[in-house]
mmCIF file of all heavy atoms in Angstrom:
data_model
loop_
_atom_site.group_PDB
_atom_site.id
_atom_site.type_symbol
_atom_site.label_atom_id
_atom_site.label_comp_id
_atom_site.label_asym_id
_atom_site.label_seq_id
_atom_site.Cartn_x
_atom_site.Cartn_y
_atom_site.Cartn_z
ATOM 1 N N PRO A 146 -32.023 -97.152 34.348
ATOM 2 C CA PRO A 146 -31.151 -96.625 33.288
ATOM 3 C C PRO A 146 -29.786 -96.216 33.858
ATOM 4 O O PRO A 146 -29.687 -95.781 35.003
ATOM 5 C CB PRO A 146 -31.913 -95.396 32.776
ATOM 6 C CG PRO A 146 -33.328 -95.618 33.185
ATOM 7 C CD PRO A 146 -33.271 -96.403 34.458
ATOM 8 N N PHE A 147 -28.771 -96.358 33.042
ATOM 9 C CA PHE A 147 -27.411 -96.000 33.453
ATOM 10 C C PHE A 147 -27.313 -94.489 33.681
ATOM 11 O O PHE A 147 -27.753 -93.698 32.863
ATOM 12 C CB PHE A 147 -26.410 -96.441 32.381
ATOM 13 C CG PHE A 147 -24.999 -96.042 32.671
ATOM 14 C CD1 PHE A 147 -24.263 -96.702 33.642
ATOM 15 C CD2 PHE A 147 -24.408 -94.996 31.984
ATOM 16 C CE1 PHE A 147 -22.949 -96.331 33.914
ATOM 17 C CE2 PHE A 147 -23.106 -94.611 32.246
ATOM 18 C CZ PHE A 147 -22.373 -95.286 33.207
ATOM 19 N N ASP A 148 -26.754 -94.110 34.831
ATOM 20 C CA ASP A 148 -26.563 -92.689 35.177
ATOM 21 C C ASP A 148 -25.072 -92.470 35.435
ATOM 22 O O ASP A 148 -24.547 -92.915 36.463
ATOM 23 C CB ASP A 148 -27.383 -92.347 36.425
ATOM 24 C CG ASP A 148 -27.231 -90.890 36.852
ATOM 25 O OD1 ASP A 148 -26.437 -90.153 36.221
ATOM 26 O OD2 ASP A 148 -27.883 -90.486 37.836
ATOM 27 N N PRO A 149 -24.385 -91.783 34.519
ATOM 28 C CA PRO A 149 -22.931 -91.623 34.692
ATOM 29 C C PRO A 149 -22.544 -90.818 35.931
ATOM 30 O O PRO A 149 -21.394 -90.873 36.355
ATOM 31 C CB PRO A 149 -22.501 -90.889 33.411
ATOM 32 C CG PRO A 149 -23.747 -90.254 32.886
ATOM 33 C CD PRO A 149 -24.880 -91.128 33.311
ATOM 34 N N ASN A 150 -23.489 -90.098 36.519
ATOM 35 C CA ASN A 150 -23.196 -89.344 37.740
ATOM 36 C C ASN A 150 -23.145 -90.242 38.976
ATOM 37 O O ASN A 150 -22.510 -89.891 39.969
ATOM 38 C CB ASN A 150 -24.242 -88.251 37.963
ATOM 39 C CG ASN A 150 -24.238 -87.216 36.857
ATOM 40 O OD1 ASN A 150 -23.186 -86.748 36.452
ATOM 41 N ND2 ASN A 150 -25.408 -86.879 36.354
ATOM 42 N N LYS A 151 -23.826 -91.402 38.900
ATOM 43 C CA LYS A 151 -23.888 -92.285 40.072
ATOM 44 C C LYS A 151 -23.371 -93.692 39.796
ATOM 45 O O LYS A 151 -23.182 -94.464 40.735
ATOM 46 C CB LYS A 151 -25.330 -92.379 40.584
ATOM 47 C CG LYS A 151 -25.861 -91.076 41.132
ATOM 48 C CD LYS A 151 -27.237 -91.260 41.756
ATOM 49 C CE LYS A 151 -27.710 -89.962 42.397
ATOM 50 N NZ LYS A 151 -28.987 -90.122 43.095
ATOM 51 N N HIS A 152 -23.176 -94.028 38.525
ATOM 52 C CA HIS A 152 -22.762 -95.382 38.165
ATOM 53 C C HIS A 152 -21.446 -95.344 37.390
ATOM 54 O O HIS A 152 -21.177 -94.371 36.691
ATOM 55 C CB HIS A 152 -23.830 -96.068 37.301
ATOM 56 C CG HIS A 152 -25.218 -95.937 37.835
ATOM 57 N ND1 HIS A 152 -26.327 -95.909 37.023
ATOM 58 C CD2 HIS A 152 -25.690 -95.809 39.101
ATOM 59 C CE1 HIS A 152 -27.420 -95.778 37.762
ATOM 60 N NE2 HIS A 152 -27.053 -95.712 39.025
ATOM 61 N N GLN A 153 -20.702 -96.416 37.530
ATOM 62 C CA GLN A 153 -19.479 -96.578 36.734
ATOM 63 C C GLN A 153 -19.615 -97.875 35.949
ATOM 64 O O GLN A 153 -19.724 -98.951 36.539
ATOM 65 C CB GLN A 153 -18.249 -96.618 37.638
ATOM 66 C CG GLN A 153 -16.959 -96.699 36.849
ATOM 67 C CD GLN A 153 -15.742 -96.584 37.755
ATOM 68 O OE1 GLN A 153 -15.837 -96.155 38.903
ATOM 69 N NE2 GLN A 153 -14.589 -96.971 37.229
ATOM 70 N N ALA A 154 -19.645 -97.756 34.613
ATOM 71 C CA ALA A 154 -19.819 -98.941 33.760
ATOM 72 C C ALA A 154 -18.509 -99.719 33.706
ATOM 73 O O ALA A 154 -17.480 -99.189 33.310
ATOM 74 C CB ALA A 154 -20.253 -98.512 32.366
ATOM 75 N N MET A 155 -18.583 -100.974 34.111
ATOM 76 C CA MET A 155 -17.394 -101.835 34.074
ATOM 77 C C MET A 155 -17.343 -102.615 32.764
ATOM 78 O O MET A 155 -16.272 -102.947 32.272
ATOM 79 C CB MET A 155 -17.414 -102.806 35.257
ATOM 80 C CG MET A 155 -17.509 -102.102 36.616
ATOM 81 S SD MET A 155 -16.243 -100.855 36.886
ATOM 82 C CE MET A 155 -14.803 -101.884 37.064
ATOM 83 N N SER A 156 -18.530 -102.908 32.204
ATOM 84 C CA SER A 156 -18.581 -103.606 30.920
ATOM 85 C C SER A 156 -19.965 -103.426 30.311
ATOM 86 O O SER A 156 -20.900 -102.978 30.988
ATOM 87 C CB SER A 156 -18.271 -105.103 31.099
ATOM 88 O OG SER A 156 -19.275 -105.691 31.900
ATOM 89 N N MET A 157 -20.069 -103.781 29.023
ATOM 90 C CA MET A 157 -21.343 -103.723 28.326
ATOM 91 C C MET A 157 -21.627 -105.102 27.749
ATOM 92 O O MET A 157 -20.716 -105.771 27.252
ATOM 93 C CB MET A 157 -21.328 -102.669 27.219
ATOM 94 C CG MET A 157 -21.163 -101.252 27.748
ATOM 95 S SD MET A 157 -21.416 -100.001 26.473
ATOM 96 C CE MET A 157 -23.198 -99.964 26.393
ATOM 97 N N VAL A 158 -22.887 -105.509 27.840
ATOM 98 C CA VAL A 158 -23.273 -106.821 27.314
ATOM 99 C C VAL A 158 -24.497 -106.655 26.431
ATOM 100 O O VAL A 158 -25.354 -105.808 26.690
ATOM 101 C CB VAL A 158 -23.581 -107.828 28.449
ATOM 102 C CG1 VAL A 158 -22.336 -108.184 29.208
ATOM 103 C CG2 VAL A 158 -24.656 -107.314 29.379
ATOM 104 N N GLU A 159 -24.567 -107.484 25.391
ATOM 105 C CA GLU A 159 -25.751 -107.471 24.541
ATOM 106 C C GLU A 159 -26.905 -108.116 25.286
ATOM 107 O O GLU A 159 -26.725 -109.134 25.959
ATOM 108 C CB GLU A 159 -25.472 -108.253 23.246
ATOM 109 C CG GLU A 159 -24.496 -107.562 22.328
ATOM 110 C CD GLU A 159 -24.257 -108.337 21.048
ATOM 111 O OE1 GLU A 159 -25.021 -109.279 20.768
ATOM 112 O OE2 GLU A 159 -23.299 -107.996 20.341
ATOM 113 N N SER A 160 -28.062 -107.513 25.171
ATOM 114 C CA SER A 160 -29.237 -108.075 25.842
ATOM 115 C C SER A 160 -30.487 -107.685 25.074
ATOM 116 O O SER A 160 -30.684 -106.517 24.735
ATOM 117 C CB SER A 160 -29.328 -107.559 27.282
ATOM 118 O OG SER A 160 -30.509 -108.024 27.882
ATOM 119 N N ALA A 161 -31.312 -108.697 24.817
ATOM 120 C CA ALA A 161 -32.592 -108.441 24.148
ATOM 121 C C ALA A 161 -33.711 -108.315 25.166
ATOM 122 O O ALA A 161 -34.831 -107.947 24.829
ATOM 123 C CB ALA A 161 -32.894 -109.570 23.162
#
Side-chain angles (χ1 to χ4, degrees):
F147 176 74
D148 180 357
N150 297 314
K151 294 186 176 184
H152 313 150
Q153 184 174 344
M155 303 306 290
S156 64
M157 295 189 79
V158 292
E159 290 181 13
S160 176

